[in-house]
Amino acid sequence: MSAPIRRLFLAGFTVLALASTAHAQGRGPVAESGIDGLGDDGQLYQDQNGAFYVRRGDRYLPYTGRPPVVRPVPQAAPAPQAAPVYAPDFDDPTAPPRRAAGTPPAEGLSPIEAAKAKAVLRAPDDGPIDYAKAYGPIPDDVFPVQAFNYKKMNPAYLRQEIAYSGPYEPGTIIVDPRAHQLTLVEQGGRARRYGVGVGKQGFSWSGTATVNSKQAWPDWYPPKEMIARSPKLASEVDKLQSGLGVAGGLRNPLGARAMYLWQGNKDTLFRIHGTLEPFSIGKSVSSGCIRMINQDAIDLFSRVNVGSKVVVLN
């Protein structure tokens, strides 16, 4: 490369390679390179300030003619959007897939399905805990949630912000069946604690699991053994897409939200969920699942990610 051209490129000049004297007069193709002396006389260059120069031998003179038309560099076609992610129905792995938590509603969903998908994306309320607000009615959910009379509840089982200095990382859910409390570890040495109902004698469990799925107003598919034990339950189940069960709604015992707990690639069949019986919180009455006041289940659901660790103490 000659010294003048080297100085030109060091100064920030760019080869336009789209107009020359010969080309302007229709006498030949546009040169594709002005580097290492391969360009023709008349090749235009542009500096970093936008000024044009024309090449004459090894000199670069200010260009005073009509500014060339600079065609934009062709852009790559936009990458195709990823297909919507779907998750299996974790009550029945053989059932048709359902839309995964966090996936926006798609055309063709029923109004209830679209409302459930929207409810999954509800943001948490990070303001100070005001019990009148925290346990007030929620009329704009998929189904209206009635206010809970928190004044009749033992304060130990109401939602609280507490200090935390334990061994678990933020995002971990810790369930203490003896205390009937669930704690979500947060950042900055803080945690959020809720009252829960747990399994009665013979149905309790302990260990470590993972939140494998989250569903708003989920369908409930009780095990066949449970249906066999309860004639009343047998009269309440209906034929749903995944078998005999109770459709999500105001009469569903899983309440407004459910988080499905797995160990490895196996469903534990235990859930953290809302309840139709909020005054059972603080008691050992369930068939092993961890039940919460619906408002608390909604709050926890909005803060927990799929993949979160769940530790159920002995």
Side-chain angles (χ1 to χ4, degrees):
M1 180 186 296
S2 65
I5 296 179
R6 184 179 297 109
R7 288 194 298 271
L8 186 64
F9 279 97
L10 289 175
F13 281 66
T14 301
V15 180
L16 289 184
L18 47 76
S20 69
T21 304
H23 179 64
Q25 297 176 358
R27 293 200 299 268
V30 177
E32 294 185 359
S33 175
I35 299 176
D36 288 334
L38 296 179
D40 299 332
D41 264 9
Q43 176 70 52
L44 289 184
Y45 294 80
Q46 186 178 29
D47 67 12
Q48 67 269 33
N49 298 318
F52 292 103
Y53 294 80
V54 62
R55 178 177 174 177
R56 299 298 183 195
D58 62 355
R59 300 178 63 195
Y60 294 86
L61 306 176
Y63 176 73
T64 58
R66 178 180 296 179
V69 178
V70 180
R71 295 180 175 83
V73 177
Q75 299 295 315
Q81 293 185 348
V85 179
Y86 291 85
D89 184 326
F90 291 109
D91 292 304
D92 179 1
T94 64
R98 293 179 179 174
R99 180 168 291 274
T103 307
E107 293 183 5
L109 291 181
S110 70
I112 291 294
E113 289 172 330
K116 287 183 180 182
K118 183 179 179 180
V120 166
L121 303 178
R122 180 187 290 269
D125 180 1
D126 288 323
I129 297 176
D130 174 352
Y131 286 155
K133 179 181 179 182
Y135 293 111
I138 307 177
D140 61 342
D141 211 79
V142 183
F143 300 95
V145 178
Q146 293 184 349
F148 172 66
N149 189 350
Y150 64 91
K151 295 180 180 180
K152 292 186 176 182
M153 174 62 77
N154 183 333
Y157 303 132
L158 296 178
R159 192 186 313 173
Q160 301 176 51
E161 284 278 359
I162 62 172
Y164 179 80
S165 58
Y168 296 106
E169 296 180 354
T172 304
I173 297 171
I174 307 163
V175 180
D176 185 344
R178 294 179 182 272
H180 295 93
Q181 291 175 330
L182 179 153
T183 301
L184 172 65
V185 182
E186 298 181 318
Q187 300 283 349
R190 304 294 295 173
R192 186 165 286 238
R193 190 167 67 192
Y194 311 83
V196 296
V198 297
K200 57 189 174 183
Q201 186 175 4
F203 290 90
S204 60
W205 68 286
S206 62
T208 301
T210 299
V211 175
N212 192 269
S213 177
K214 298 166 51 180
Q215 293 184 25
W217 297 95
D219 297 340
W220 177 51
Y221 296 91
K224 295 177 181 178
E225 296 79 9
M226 183 181 292
I227 296 175
R229 287 196 306 266
S230 174
K232 180 181 178 181
L233 178 58
S235 67
E236 293 177 348
V237 296
D238 298 310
K239 181 64 177 178
L240 304 179
Q241 64 173 354
S242 298
L244 291 176
V246 180
L250 298 176
R251 72 182 188 96
N252 189 307
L254 295 184
R257 301 289 190 272
M259 288 146 275
Y260 293 71
L261 307 185
W262 282 45
Q263 291 177 322
N265 60 357
K266 183 178 180 181
D267 188 352
T268 66
L269 300 181
F270 295 112
R271 321 288 186 226
I272 300 172
H273 63 82
T275 182
L276 299 175
E277 302 173 330
F279 285 104
S280 66
I281 302 305
K283 301 177 182 179
S284 301
V285 293
S286 76
S287 295
C289 288
I290 301 157
R291 61 174 64 175
M292 308 178 72
I293 299 168
N294 270 330
Q295 283 86 342
D296 285 345
I298 291 172
D299 185 73
L300 177 67
F301 185 98
S302 68
R303 300 174 188 279
V304 171
N305 295 321
V306 171
S308 294
K309 182 178 182 180
V310 181
V311 179
V312 181
L313 304 176
N314 289 322

